[in-house]
Amino acid sequence: MNKKGLAILLRSKMRPLSPASKVNHVQLAPLDVNKVATQNASSKTPRDFGQVRESMHSVISMNRKEILDTALSEFSEGYFSLSQENRHKLLLILAREYDLNRGQVRELMKQYIGLEIPKGDGIDEHGHEVEGHLSAFYRIERNLRHALNPMYAILFERLNTHPGGLKFLSTVRADILSIIADENIASIRALDSYLKEKLITWLSPANLELHQITWDDPASLLEKIVAYEAVHPISNLIDLKRRLGIGRRCFGYIHPAIPGEPLIFIEVALMKNIASTIQEVLWHDPPTPEPEASTALFYSISSTQPGLAGINLGKFLIKRVIHLVKKDMPNISNFATLSPIPGFMQWLLSKLASSERSVPIFSENILQPQEERALLDAYVDSTEGRNGMEVLLHLLTSTNHEWTQSDGLQPILLRLCARYLLHEKKRGKALDSVANFHLQNGAMIGRLNWMADRSEKGLTQSGGIMVNYIYSLEHIEDYAQAYFSTGHIQVSPDVLHYIEAMEKNEDSSCM
């Protein structure tokens, strides 16, 4: 094994290659890696909380640059040495004590309301009198803009220009998000909103470099690909080399302030056709010869920074990769994904469980009459369910996913999955997070694939079903705009027929 392979193997804690380990993936999610990084940072000499708080105040209040750089370094080092509890305590102080001065804002607003808007009478040919009246408006508006900036804005701005500051701010936001997950605190939500807006500006596509990641990249970068791959974990060095080799591409966004570490990366398989199972993508050997490929399949997109949650870097990444691949490989005409449906089983099991908890008149039967009859006829002796909903619930919650051996569940689960993707909404948008991501980027729901991911994770999250989202170069912007403005979902006839069949059966049952 060469030095690079050994370095990746050791630092990423990957298992050595063995035939038995070929399909057993090491689960290394981004949040776990972040936790390890935090623990490593916290292992340094701990700082007194008061000292870290004082260094934070110094960064916000001082103006001398030669001292400011030292204060910024002291604050960031001190922050990393704090326990999670003390970090949260410090962020609460930052959010509450370094907020904007509302007394000043109110006073300026009173002055602004008291101004009389000039009507234009008695103006000379140069408009001097109007300009004189408006100068008071300009002055107060300028002061208002300044007053509406919270004091912690100074901290964020100065950290952003400090070496390592942007990465540090991402860590800070991850800590803010962990507070929000536990408590609904208005000042913390305001702090998060402000920092998120600044990060969106600082991480605009114009500031990011699109980098094709290959085996020739440094081991330190490849190590991060292994560690942060969140969709289909990389199991060994051969798996990693395959994903970076012939018939495969990997692209990442890198920011100059965080060199050698992609903020987000996407993995692409070059294939003859749109894949219907993840097994053929990950383990198909040999790969399709690149000149024979007509499809670029996006099968994994992973963020490396938990603190950048909600900042849609993937939207710009996918579009840039599509155009780059199309430019380099004119033979590629189809762009699609093979995506998980992470919220499907949670939604389905919740719906099914409601039949046991609720009075029948208040519960929704999501099964069609013929599906109900089929379930009762096939499984009435093997389950304790009183109706089709209870039977299906008992089947899906059985040990070892025994239900996957039943062909009778395929049409039922595919129809319910189509309903979930198309009809289940949150604030007018798709309830499923991955669906919402691709739809807002201008994709169409193309095809549902039965037993496309038989891994434990795939069966638990989506019943093994995966979906192809199709990206059409001609319609990306139109589809994205339609979804953004009205929530309209573009869907292929292959998926739509599940819903149409359901509606037809419902109509006939009412006749």
Side-chain angles (χ1 to χ4, degrees):
M1 182 183 297
N2 59 25
K3 291 183 179 179
K4 175 182 288 187
L6 184 60
I8 299 169
L9 186 70
L10 293 176
R11 288 202 293 255
S12 302
K13 299 181 181 179
M14 297 168 63
R15 293 191 303 274
L17 177 65
S18 67
S21 69
K22 186 173 183 181
V23 294
N24 296 323
H25 301 301
V26 179
Q27 300 286 343
L28 278 178
L31 287 176
D32 297 327
V33 177
N34 189 60
K35 188 183 296 183
V36 171
T38 301
Q39 290 170 349
N40 290 341
S42 300
S43 65
K44 297 177 181 178
T45 305
R47 304 287 181 88
D48 177 73
F49 178 82
Q51 291 178 327
V52 181
R53 178 177 178 177
E54 182 59 33
S55 65
M56 181 179 74
H57 178 76
S58 298
V59 170
I60 295 173
S61 59
M62 70 171 45
N63 292 314
R64 295 178 59 187
K65 189 176 187 310
E66 61 274 16
I67 303 178
L68 178 60
D69 287 340
T70 301
L72 284 164
S73 296
E74 288 180 355
F75 170 62
S76 58
E77 291 173 9
Y79 184 87
F80 277 124
S81 76
L82 294 177
S83 65
Q84 202 66 30
E85 180 182 357
N86 278 336
R87 287 192 192 185
H88 289 186
K89 180 180 175 182
L90 187 68
L91 290 172
L92 280 169
I93 291 172
L94 180 66
R96 291 168 175 167
E97 298 183 13
Y98 294 87
D99 200 353
L100 54 85
N101 186 334
R102 290 183 174 81
Q104 183 184 11
V105 172
R106 285 177 64 91
E107 183 58 36
L108 288 168
M109 290 175 66
K110 288 179 183 178
Q111 294 177 30
Y112 193 79
I113 293 171
L115 294 177
E116 183 177 348
I117 299 176
K119 297 179 180 179
D121 296 329
I123 303 172
D124 64 21
E125 59 181 348
H126 301 293
H128 289 158
E129 187 172 337
V130 172
E131 289 296 325
H133 278 85
L134 289 177
S135 64
F137 281 91
Y138 296 146
R139 183 182 67 256
I140 296 178
E141 286 163 356
R142 182 184 65 249
N143 292 338
L144 261 174
R145 282 193 295 270
H146 180 74
L148 285 170
N149 261 331
M151 292 178 65
Y152 48 67
I154 299 172
L155 176 66
F156 296 154
E157 293 282 355
R158 290 177 170 177
L159 280 169
N160 181 50
T161 60
H162 188 66
L166 187 60
K167 178 72 178 291
F168 174 61
L169 285 171
S170 174
T171 301
V172 169
R173 184 162 184 259
D175 291 337
I176 293 172
L177 292 174
S178 70
I179 299 176
I180 293 174
D182 294 333
E183 299 180 81
N184 184 16
I185 303 174
S187 58
I188 288 291
R189 284 190 283 108
L191 181 70
D192 174 63
S193 178
Y194 187 89
L195 180 54
K196 180 182 176 182
E197 288 180 7
K198 301 304 292 185
L199 287 171
I200 289 173
T201 300
W202 295 328
L203 297 172
S204 69
N207 297 327
L208 299 173
E209 172 196 350
L210 180 63
H211 175 69
Q212 181 177 345
I213 300 164
T214 70
W215 183 253
D216 293 329
D217 279 308
S220 58
L221 189 152
L222 300 185
E223 168 200 346
K224 292 178 173 62
I225 299 301
V226 174
Y228 288 113
E229 165 56 76
V231 185
H232 303 293
I234 298 171
S235 57
N236 49 56
L237 287 177
I238 287 183
D239 187 9
L240 176 62
K241 294 190 76 170
R242 181 185 287 114
R243 298 193 195 196
L244 302 177
I246 297 173
R248 299 293 182 268
R249 297 289 188 274
C250 183
F251 299 93
Y253 263 149
I254 294 179
H255 193 281
I258 313 177
E261 181 169 347
L263 303 180
I264 187 171
F265 61 92
I266 188 168
E267 295 172 71
V268 188
L270 305 176
M271 312 186 78
K272 289 184 179 180
N273 301 297
I274 298 175
S276 59
T277 72
I278 194 60
Q279 287 78 22
E280 62 186 289
V281 176
L282 296 180
W283 303 113
H284 181 65
D285 195 19
T288 301
E290 294 189 3
E292 299 178 15
S294 64
T295 299
L297 189 87
F298 307 121
Y299 63 93
S300 179
I301 183 166
S302 301
S303 173
T304 67
Q305 306 296 323
L308 301 185
I311 299 174
N312 193 355
L313 298 176
K315 170 183 178 180
F316 304 106
L317 179 60
I318 285 178
K319 291 181 179 179
R320 286 191 64 182
V321 168
I322 286 175
H323 288 289
L324 181 61
V325 171
K326 185 64 178 176
K327 178 182 176 182
D328 292 346
M329 303 184 69
N331 52 304
I332 300 295
S333 56
N334 301 316
F335 296 89
T337 77
L338 183 60
S339 300
I341 313 167
F344 172 54
M345 285 298 280
Q346 180 181 3
W347 168 82
L348 178 57
L349 294 177
S350 175
K351 286 286 187 181
L352 296 174
S354 68
S355 67
E356 293 186 335
R357 297 192 303 263
S358 306
V359 178
I361 194 172
F362 295 113
S363 63
E364 177 191 9
N365 190 345
I366 60 176
L367 297 174
Q368 295 178 344
Q370 69 273 24
E371 294 171 341
E372 179 112 13
R373 288 193 298 271
L375 285 168
L376 290 173
D377 290 345
Y379 303 104
V380 67
D381 296 329
S382 57
T383 69
E384 300 175 357
R386 297 167 297 174
N387 54 52
M389 296 265 283
E390 292 185 6
V391 169
L392 186 56
L393 176 63
H394 292 161
L395 288 171
L396 295 179
T397 53
S398 62
T399 59
N400 301 322
H401 304 294
E402 297 167 1
W403 59 269
T404 59
Q405 307 302 317
S406 172
D407 294 334
L409 294 186
Q410 178 176 343
I412 298 174
L413 292 182
L414 286 175
R415 182 190 65 78
L416 290 172
C417 187
R419 167 189 161 159
Y420 170 72
L421 290 174
L422 294 175
H423 287 178
E424 298 301 318
K425 303 288 185 70
K426 180 180 181 181
R427 301 191 184 100
K429 300 297 187 290
L431 178 62
D432 188 79
S433 59
V434 174
N436 184 58
F437 170 78
H438 287 294
L439 293 170
Q440 71 180 351
N441 292 343
M444 174 183 74
I445 299 178
R447 184 178 66 196
L448 295 179
N449 302 291
W450 178 249
M451 288 297 118
D453 184 359
R454 293 178 174 271
S455 68
E456 178 71 23
K457 180 180 179 182
L459 293 172
T460 301
Q461 289 190 341
S462 57
I465 303 172
M466 299 188 78
V467 57
N468 300 120
Y469 295 101
I470 310 298
Y471 281 90
S472 168
L473 290 175
E474 296 81 9
H475 302 297
I476 284 180
E477 298 303 331
D478 292 339
Y479 289 175
Q481 181 58 38
Y483 182 71
F484 176 77
S485 57
T486 66
H488 178 70
I489 296 174
Q490 299 291 336
V491 57
S492 72
D494 287 344
V495 176
L496 192 59
H497 89 272
Y498 292 112
I499 303 300
E500 292 174 340
M502 175 185 70
E503 293 172 347
K504 188 181 297 184
N505 287 329
E506 287 176 349
D507 290 341
S508 63
S509 66
C510 295
M511 295 175 65

